């Protein structure tokens, strides 16, 4: 008598093997980020700028030739895009999906609590904690304050399914912030802040508000890094639009 359980067992094994053959190669992405130098490059590029290969090499403390090898792998794996201007090669994160991936992994990563070695490094750390770019949206203590003020005024819902309220969309439109249409990037993403361990405003709305604040002179970059500072005009604007007293930021 033919044992049909053998057929089911064999068929199940074949199906599982077929699933592996046609499935996505998640391990390929994991291998790209498993190297500390490559992961460090991706974290640095969260500031939203395009960096040259030499800048990334200096940032990571590796030789330019070593950086080039790692960057070629990241470009080939689709995590970075490159642009060439004359002799310079500029690298950036490919698109918002890659940004979301790096941010999500950073949320899960263990924290290194080594104290800064110099007074300048300590100053940079404090500046980053106060206000900084998280790729293209506002993070740090100011980013948290903005998100919480928007929630308190009924402009933003940071619940299980984060979203702008109708009042929030009108408020952004009144500032001149237009949200892009289409599914390429969510309007709102609750992005866990690595210094505050609470969520700030990410997504298209966070990017649009941050771009407006920079263009309007409410914020200015501190040096060439991700840190931001609130300008005198910004103190008035944040107070007027969200009731924030930002003298401490």
């Amino acid at each position: 008598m033919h044992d049909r359980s053998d057929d089911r067992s064999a068929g199940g094994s074949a199906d599982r093997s077929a699933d592996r053959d046609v499935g996505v190669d998640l391990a390929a992405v994991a291998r790209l980020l498993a190297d500390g130098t490559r992961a460090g490059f991706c974290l640095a590029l969260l500031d939203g700028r395009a960096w040259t290969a030499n800048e990334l090499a200096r940032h990571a403390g590796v030789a330019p030739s070593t950086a080039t090898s790692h960057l070629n792998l990241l470009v080939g794996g689709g995590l970075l895009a490159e642009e060439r201007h004359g002799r310079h090669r500029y690298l950036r994160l490919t698109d918002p999906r890659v940004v979301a991936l790096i941010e999500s992994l950073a949320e899960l990563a263990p924290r290194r609590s080594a104290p800064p070695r110099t007074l300048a490094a300590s100053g940079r750390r404090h500046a980053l904690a106060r206000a900084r770019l998280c790729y293209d949206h506002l993070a740090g203590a100011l980013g948290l304050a903005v998100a919480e003020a928007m929630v308190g005024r009924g402009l933003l819902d940071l619940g299980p399914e984060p979203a702008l309220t109708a009042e929030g969309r009108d408020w952004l439109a009144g500032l001149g912030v237009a949200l892009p249409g289409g599914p390429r990037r969510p309007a709102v993403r609750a992005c866990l802040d690595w210094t505050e361990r609470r969520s700030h405003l990410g997504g298209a709305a966070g990017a649009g508000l941050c771009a407006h604040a920079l263009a309007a002179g409410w914020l200015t970059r501190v040096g060439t890094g991700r840190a931001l500072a609130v300008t005198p005009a910004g103190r008035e604007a944040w107070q007027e639009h969200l009731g924030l007293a930002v003298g401490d930021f």
Side-chain angles (χ1 to χ4, degrees), residues 83-207:
E83 299 175 9
R84 292 187 180 270
H85 296 278
R87 295 180 302 158
H88 296 291
R89 179 194 193 195
Y90 291 88
L91 289 304
R92 57 177 174 78
L93 297 175
T94 305
D95 57 37
R97 296 172 304 162
V98 177
V99 175
L101 170 66
I102 303 303
E103 288 179 346
S104 297
L105 290 174
E107 292 170 11
L108 298 173
R111 305 293 172 212
R112 286 183 281 194
S113 57
R117 296 181 180 180
T118 66
L119 185 60
S122 177
R124 285 193 296 270
R125 176 176 289 189
H126 283 96
L128 287 169
R130 286 193 300 271
R132 69 181 181 279
L133 285 171
C134 180
Y135 188 60
D136 59 0
H137 55 272
L138 185 59
L142 178 58
L144 265 292
V146 168
E148 289 171 359
M150 290 180 67
V151 170
R153 293 187 169 218
L155 308 175
L156 176 66
D157 180 359
L158 284 180
E161 296 184 2
L164 289 169
T165 64
E167 293 82 0
R169 288 183 175 274
D170 290 342
W171 180 77
L172 285 176
L175 291 176
V177 177
L179 298 181
R184 184 173 178 82
R185 188 179 190 184
V188 171
R189 180 173 178 270
C191 184
L192 185 66
D193 198 289
W194 59 265
T195 52
E196 301 293 327
R197 296 303 181 94
R198 290 176 288 150
S199 293
H200 58 245
L201 174 62

Side-chain angles (χ1 to χ4, degrees), residues 49-75:
R49 297 178 299 151
W51 291 46
T52 67
N54 284 337
E55 286 173 337
L56 288 167
R58 289 194 297 270
H59 175 80
V62 298
S65 58
T66 300
T68 296
S69 297
H70 286 301
L71 291 170
N72 288 342
L73 289 172
L74 290 169
V75 170

Side-chain angles (χ1 to χ4, degrees), residues 23-31:
V24 296
D25 190 0
L26 184 61
V29 179
R31 285 192 294 270

Side-chain angles (χ1 to χ4, degrees), residues 19 37 45 59 66 70 73 81 109 196 201 207 209 215 220 231 234 238 246:
D19 287 343
T37 298
L45 289 166
H59 175 80
T66 300
H70 286 301
L73 289 172
E196 301 293 327
L201 174 62
L209 180 57
T220 185
T231 65
W238 293 120
V246 294

